[in-house]
Amino acid sequence: MNRIATLLVSLVACSFSSVAIAQPTLSAPVDLSSAGATSSGINFAISSDGTKTTAVWREVAPSGRYQLKTSSATIASGIASWGPISTLSAAGRNVLGAKVQISSDGSKALVVWTSQNSAKRSALESSSATVVGNVASWGAATPLTASAIEEQDAAIAFSADGGRAFAVWERGSSSAIHARCTIIVGASAAVSGTTLSWGSAQQVSERGGCAGDPNVAISASAGAVTAVWVSLGTIPTQIVRARTGAVSGTTVSWGAITDLSAPDHYAKSPSVAMSSDGTKATAVWPRADIGAFGMPTDPIVTRSRSATVSGNVATWGATTVLSASTNSSALPRMGLSSDGSAATSAWIRKVGSSYSVESSSGSVAGEVAAWGTPTA
């Protein structure tokens, strides 16, 4: 499509509520990206009360490279009023993808993106903004690290007040033995308006392993963080792993690594959420058995585990199956209420040659989650 049509609906939110939500009323579509531009890769964040949002997307520049664009909006009665479009990336770089987060009140925003230079080496850049109404004032592009190794695929989390941020991402291995592997690293940042100060990156995934698919959640105060990722097991198996850290400034004290998914299976695409006080976490992921020729087999079933958190120690409960075992699911996403007692997950469901979106909600008590029947 040449332009992105956006539908802002009332059920989109930064955090999930245990209160039942009525059928949403959809506003008319509006053109968000530049007229005549080829656009893709849109990503949104929305304030807790649903009255502010910031979007990022890629647009093809005359040079043929993708540049990163952004715009913010105020929302009233289901209608979004979009402000001016800003360009965040440098003209000489090609943007591969971007993630955005905003503060609870929508007055601050953070974007992290993957870009390539002319030699096609990928690196991570970031920018923060203050937002007044639907006008965002963005700072200069700031590299996450000064690494000479390729880095990509960042997941980000933002504190409620927008003063702290955390990112996890894939970094190419510097080992000759694992030259084709990536590891998961993470860094914390202090955010002051349009100024970002990233701390040193730390390896989050296990030493000597190959890892990818990172996702991250943070407490409201940014004092606790939980990262999840996928590690290569005995070929062709993949294992979802988790690690919790206690954050002090831009330094993280990491706890032990926990295997969330069972060995001898194929798991991927994990998603995690934390309660506002950082004492609870819930993660979801799809998992398949390994069939003939080492290939994952249907059904691919979404699973979940919940944890209580103290400092950097997470105690994970038993695994719960969320999706039906008669069809396959993919790309689950996770949300928790602020106190961590109510959970909602949504995923893509495949039945034959058709796809739909399915979701389930549940209650969480300590490390035990009771999930309801999935709804299409």
Side-chain angles (χ1 to χ4, degrees):
M1 294 186 298
N2 283 343
R3 289 177 286 183
I4 299 169
T6 66
L7 293 175
L8 293 177
V9 298
S10 63
L11 58 80
V12 178
C14 282
S15 58
F16 289 79
S17 170
S18 58
V19 179
I21 298 175
Q23 183 68 26
T25 300
L26 302 180
S27 64
V30 297
D31 291 336
L32 177 55
S33 59
S34 305
T38 299
S39 309
S40 64
I42 194 167
N43 193 262
F44 283 95
I46 197 165
S47 62
S48 293
D49 64 3
T51 63
K52 291 186 178 181
T53 185
T54 293
V56 293
W57 66 93
R58 303 188 310 158
E59 283 187 10
V60 178
S63 64
R65 298 185 180 94
Y66 277 101
Q67 288 190 306
L68 184 62
K69 303 288 185 175
T70 182
S71 182
S72 296
T74 55
I75 305 170
S77 301
I79 305 298
S81 299
W82 291 96
I85 295 173
S86 299
T87 302
L88 299 184
S89 60
R93 300 189 69 89
N94 185 48
V95 174
L96 304 182
K99 303 288 177 60
V100 59
Q101 291 282 357
I102 62 175
S103 59
S104 181
D105 65 1
S107 66
K108 297 178 182 178
L110 170 72
V111 177
V112 174
W113 65 93
T114 305
S115 64
Q116 289 180 327
N117 60 15
S118 57
K120 295 189 176 181
R121 188 184 75 81
S122 61
L124 291 172
E125 299 178 279
S126 60
S127 182
S128 60
T130 56
V131 185
V132 178
N134 63 3
V135 179
S137 299
W138 291 92
T142 303
L144 265 66
T145 68
S147 171
I149 301 171
E150 289 206 7
E151 299 178 314
Q152 61 186 4
D153 195 22
I156 59 174
F158 213 18
S159 63
D161 65 0
R164 295 284 174 182
F166 196 85
V168 289
W169 65 91
E170 295 179 4
R171 172 180 284 180
S173 174
S174 58
S175 166
I177 297 175
H178 299 293
R180 295 183 180 273
C181 280
T182 57
I183 59 174
I184 304 303
V185 297
S188 180
V191 186
S192 178
T194 58
T195 302
L196 275 166
S197 300
W198 290 96
S200 299
Q202 298 171 274
Q203 183 164 340
V204 179
S205 60
E206 66 280 7
R207 299 288 173 178
C210 298
D213 253 358
N215 194 256
V216 67
I218 201 168
S219 63
S221 66
V225 62
T226 295
V228 292
W229 67 91
V230 174
S231 288
L232 183 65
T234 303
I235 296 176
T237 65
Q238 291 188 166
I239 303 168
V240 170
R241 291 188 163 128
R243 196 173 189 184
T244 295
V247 185
S248 177
T250 56
T251 302
V252 182
S253 172
W254 288 100
I257 295 173
T258 300
D259 289 357
L260 295 186
S261 65
D264 304 322
H265 292 80
Y266 184 87
K268 64 180 300 183
S269 306
S271 178
V272 65
M274 293 190 80
S275 60
S276 292
D277 64 4
T279 64
K280 295 181 180 179
T282 296
V284 291
W285 67 92
R287 196 203 78 183
D289 292 332
I290 302 295
F293 308 108
M295 298 297 292
T297 62
D298 290 336
I300 303 171
V301 179
T302 296
R303 286 168 161 79
S304 171
R305 288 179 73 175
S306 294
T308 54
V309 179
S310 177
N312 63 4
V313 178
T315 304
W316 292 91
T319 301
T320 303
V321 174
L322 270 64
S323 62
S325 59
T326 54
N327 53 71
S328 287
S329 59
L331 296 174
R333 292 294 178 260
M334 185 66 233
L336 280 180
S337 59
S338 60
D339 65 0
S341 67
T344 296
S345 180
W347 56 88
I348 297 172
R349 177 189 181 197
K350 181 183 180 183
V351 181
S353 59
S354 298
Y355 293 87
S356 64
V357 174
E358 195 169 74
S359 70
S360 178
S361 294
S363 59
V364 184
E367 298 136 30
V368 179
W371 290 92
T373 303
T375 302

